[in-house]
Amino acid sequence: MKGWLSGAALSMLVGAATPALAQSPLRLTTEVSQRTVEQGQSFQFQITAMGAAGDPVPSSPRLPQPPGAVVHGPSVSSQQHVQISGGTIERRQGFTATWTVVANRVGKLRVGPASVLVGSTQHQSDAVVIEVVPPGQGPQSRGPNRGPFGSDPFDIFNRRGSLFPPGIFDDPFQQDDPLAFVPDYPPEYKVASAPDPVAFVRTRLDKKTLVVGEQLTFAAYVYGGQGPFDMGGLSEPQTADFISIPILEDRPDVRMYQVDIGENVWLAAKVRELALFPLKTGTLQIGSLRVGLRGRGYSARGNLLERLSPPITVSVSEPPLAGRPTGYRIGDVGSYELSANVEPRAVEQGGAVAVAVTLKGIGNLPLKLELPQSKGIEWLDPQIRGEVGPQAGVVRGERHFQYVVRLSKSGSVDLGEIRLPYWDPAKSAYFTAKAELGSVQVKPSAHAASQAQAEAEETSTKLSRALVARKQLGAANPEPAPLTDIPWFWACLALAPATVVLGEVTRRTTRSLRKNLHARSADSLSLAQRALVNAETALEQRNGNEAIASAEKALFLAIEGATGLKGRGLLRHELEPKLGEAAIAPASATELTELLQTCETARFTGEVELAAATEIVANTRRQLADLTRFGRSRKRAKSA
Amino acid sequence: MRHVWLALALGLVCSLSSVANAAEPRSVEEYFRDANVALEKGAINEAIDLYELMADHGLQHPDASYNRAVAYVRRAESKQERPGDLGRAAAALSEALVLRPDDAAATDALRLVREEIGRRRARQGAQQVSVSPSLARSLVAILDESTWAILAGLGSVMLTSGLWLYLWWQRASARLTGGVLALLGGVLFAACAGFALGARHFRTTSRPAVVVASEARLLDETGRPRGVHGTSAVAEGESVYVVGELGALAKIEWGTTEGYVNRSQLMLLGR
């Protein structure tokens, strides 16, 4: 027990070591800075979550964004309470989380319930109903100080109704000497052309592509082209996918500038500047910002002239995977430095040391550090202090983590090193902030050793006993690509049976074709053609007799094929009338008969001159063509 | 000169306090060895980081997935427990089974983890509703996709042989054999090809995932919670199929129920 009490930093743990503790469940209280607000005005919603000592410390406060309102924050501060009453000591630890809520819609606004995690259990606070009234109809209490939460950080006009000090930019019709144009505005106000002749809202981002956790600066400007104006009904842009930290409220010199756009002089003011930290990847949208302008040339009878800024999108990605260090958490972006101090450096076994870690740098510094764990070293939940906020437009600051580390093993115990890997967008590289903790000399204690052994056995459950880590990598056969992904697999499956069917069809078709061809080659007209070919061959061989004999044969076969008449069995004078009866034209019949007569004569006279044979073969060819045509038309007529 | 020394000293301090990332292990074996050393010495978070980084780099191994589950279980049973640890253990074991389907120890461990999740939910008064996959998925999952494909191939061979015998041979016995073979082969081919195509369709159009949040509320496509009828949330550790994505939402199929959940509540299982 002595070790527990060593060091001033451990004094707060007195209660934890006391056996008689009056413990009760989580205490969750809800407060708001005011119950009635004006449209566009901000107020604070605060929860305090205090858990009993020994229970898991409450964490992860969340407040869902209610419709018609924008939520900023939270700002979290750790708390520890020790209360002694009736002889019992009650120790509680937890935090207070404060959100700034801006109401954009008139009516009843239900805010909350907020939630916190205790271990793996979620607890909810009460919800609060706020009455939102139109601008100018708020409670009289609105002054520079608005109660326990201080002044309204979003009320940059401080309820004057105008941004300007008295006398500046007053209505020119009430002035004898209007101000002359002095082009001394910052470059960020410069606009090439006015999208609206009366008034417009312009928004600006410092970048369009970034990584999760990187700061994006959003600024909104109002321009009026009709002279001085007041503003009201300012609504916040929807930034649900970002952590939003206001920058503008830290600048007391918010003012209006004269800006030349084209040939005209406009009045312009920056009305919002936010540091936004994207929470996820993708194309994220920043919603419209609405502002109302009132004044001569802008609106009549005191109504507001409303102007909306267009929504903007940004592309958010993760930092590159290549070179990503172990333990890197998505969102840790900026430039960090770590330092640590351990006290005391010698304790008894079972005692504790205090480890103070300071994290400072640029960016939205993480609220949690990964700690070097080891058997026999137990890190208790830290107390966190520090401020992170905008400085010259960049969010930076420092956080102090105060840990109590319980040491249940003896000897020289190396506490290890705290490492915080981060992505530095300015250098486009990963870095690791490190803080070496060094060793602590732990004196052995038999009681503490047996207690540690008992605790180790207690934490071993059936599940953790069943799951034993594997020491070696076994065989891991990479699964081959499924057969169904191979393109030719399906083709083979379908083509195999189709090939058989197609083969059969081809076989049958071929057989049929061959049969037809055979039949065709056997008919008289085909034979006649063949005889004519023989005649022509004989002519080439200068054999006139053979040519004439073949021509005569071709003619008889052609007559038979075309008409069915067997010409050889008929006398010459009988042939002509028979051909006429077979519907051969009389002139053709005569020519045929004469040609056959010429052939016969030439055959019987012996030697035939080649010229005569050539003429006979030529005439035979012509007659054969006529007879073939005649025969085909006759066949078609018959089949019809 | 004094300024030069000061600048050098400052540079040295900066380089010590903020060190650019040193070379990280690259192979599966190196990651596995380093993560196991961390797990052995009780540095659970460091071990988990290494196992997760290994998976992020696409280096997968069933034994590494198994050990990742061991690390998550140890953290879930320690004071450092984080919500969803047991769900992540279930996801890691499911991944081990995807990579090595016949890993009996992983199957048993997955059952034990889901039982533990059920016990914890019961202690909190929540129901552990487990559903079976849809009938189509169950039928298709009877056999492996490649097995269906091989059976479809066998059917195709039988059909081809049967047709050949039936059409090309004149003998009655051959034609009878061919007819029977063609009929059986045709049925086998049609059924198994259908299942193979179904398995391929499910594989290419959906991805298995495990719920790694305490529970994943079922939403509609606008992100609003679904009506009170039926089951309104999927419990931690449950297996679902992601069939589409819509912004930050994932469209899931859980049994016969379809709905949307936040993508961050799921861990997709890699292959």
Side-chain angles (χ1 to χ4, degrees), chain A residues 242-300:
Chain A
F242 300 84
I243 291 173
S244 170
I245 298 176
I247 296 176
L248 193 62
E249 65 174 356
D250 291 333
R251 294 182 174 178
D253 58 339
V254 170
R255 53 171 292 196
M256 206 169 264
Y257 291 95
Q258 286 180 299
V259 178
D260 56 319
I261 305 175
E263 294 180 350
N264 300 320
V265 176
W266 291 60
L267 294 177
K270 189 194 279 186
V271 290
R272 281 290 180 271
E273 188 166 20
L274 304 170
L276 301 174
F277 295 89
L279 294 167
K280 60 182 183 183
T281 58
T283 303
L284 308 186
Q285 193 179 62
I286 300 164
S288 299
L289 178 137
R290 184 191 291 114
V291 67
L293 290 88
R294 189 189 293 122
R296 194 191 299 266
Y298 295 99
S299 58

Side-chain angles (χ1 to χ4, degrees), chain A residues 323 373 422 461 470 474 484, chain B residues 18 21 63 67 77 80 145 156:
Chain A
Q373 296 157 328
Y422 61 91
T461 65
R470 292 174 178 172
T484 51
Chain B
S18 181
N21 176 42
D63 293 327
N67 278 11
E77 300 201 325
Q80 303 153 39
E145 185 181 331
S156 173

Side-chain angles (χ1 to χ4, degrees), chain A residues 46-132:
Chain A
Q46 187 179 76
I47 60 166
T48 303
M50 301 300 288
D55 285 354
V57 179
S59 62
S60 307
R62 287 181 63 85
L63 176 64
Q65 184 157 288
V70 177
V71 173
H72 296 277
S75 139
V76 181
S77 63
S78 301
Q79 290 195 10
Q80 299 217 13
H81 289 165
V82 178
Q83 188 179 2
I84 302 171
S85 65
T88 60
I89 298 173
E90 187 181 56
R91 191 176 75 87
R92 289 189 169 273
Q93 54 188 358
F95 64 84
T96 297
T98 308
W99 290 267
T100 301
V101 183
V102 183
N104 291 329
R105 200 184 292 163
V106 174
K108 300 278 186 195
L109 173 67
R110 188 173 191 271
V111 186
S115 63
V116 295
L117 274 179
V118 180
S120 59
T121 310
Q122 195 176 54
H123 294 264
Q124 291 196 324
S125 73
D126 294 330
V128 180
V129 177
I130 303 290
E131 188 172 359
V132 184

Side-chain angles (χ1 to χ4, degrees), chain A residues 117 119-121 280-281 321-329 335-338 368 370-375 378 380 406 419 422 430-435 455 459-477 479-485 489-490 492-501 503-504 507-508 511, chain B residues 16-21 24 26 28-29 32 36 39-46 49-50 53 56-57 61-64 66-67 69-70 73-74 77 79-83 86 93 98-101 103 105-106 109 112-113 115-116 124 144-146 149-150 152-153 156 159-160 163-164 167-168 170 189 193 196-197 200 203 214 248 263 271:
Chain A
L117 274 179
S120 59
T121 310
K280 60 182 183 183
T281 58
L321 193 58
R324 185 177 289 178
T326 313
Y328 174 75
R329 308 264 170 234
S335 176
Y336 306 152
E337 279 178 43
L338 271 176
K368 191 170 182 188
E370 282 305 325
L371 303 165
Q373 296 157 328
S374 186
K375 282 177 184 165
E378 185 188 354
L380 303 186
R406 191 179 160 202
R419 302 170 82 246
Y422 61 91
Y430 285 104
F431 293 88
T432 302
K434 296 177 181 178
E455 277 180 16
T459 54
S460 176
T461 65
K462 182 186 171 190
L463 186 57
S464 56
R465 279 197 302 273
L467 266 78
V468 179
R470 292 174 178 172
K471 306 285 180 203
Q472 298 288 331
L473 287 171
N477 301 324
E479 189 125 328
L483 282 173
T484 51
D485 280 352
F489 173 75
W490 293 105
C492 286
L493 282 195
L495 280 180
T499 306
V500 175
V501 174
E504 175 62 13
R507 192 170 69 113
R508 287 186 182 189
R511 196 189 298 160
Chain B
L16 283 175
S17 64
S18 181
V19 181
N21 176 42
E24 292 291 331
R26 285 287 172 267
V28 176
E29 288 77 15
F32 187 75
N36 274 9
L39 193 61
E40 189 59 34
K41 74 174 184 188
I44 304 173
N45 288 339
E46 189 187 336
D49 285 341
L50 281 164
L53 193 63
D56 287 346
H57 282 292
H61 192 284
D63 293 327
Y66 186 90
N67 278 11
V70 173
V73 165
R74 287 194 188 168
E77 300 201 325
K79 289 176 183 171
Q80 303 153 39
E81 182 196 359
R82 293 182 192 174
L86 284 178
L93 289 167
V98 168
L99 298 169
R100 190 190 283 153
D103 191 335
L112 286 172
V113 168
E115 282 174 4
E116 179 62 23
Q124 292 171 357
D144 183 61
E145 185 181 331
S146 287
I150 289 167
S156 173
L159 177 63
T160 308
L163 285 172
W164 181 68
L167 295 172
W168 289 68
Q170 299 302 316
F189 173 60
L197 279 172
R200 186 175 186 281
R203 176 171 56 80
S214 302
R263 237 177 357 183
R271 180 182 265 271

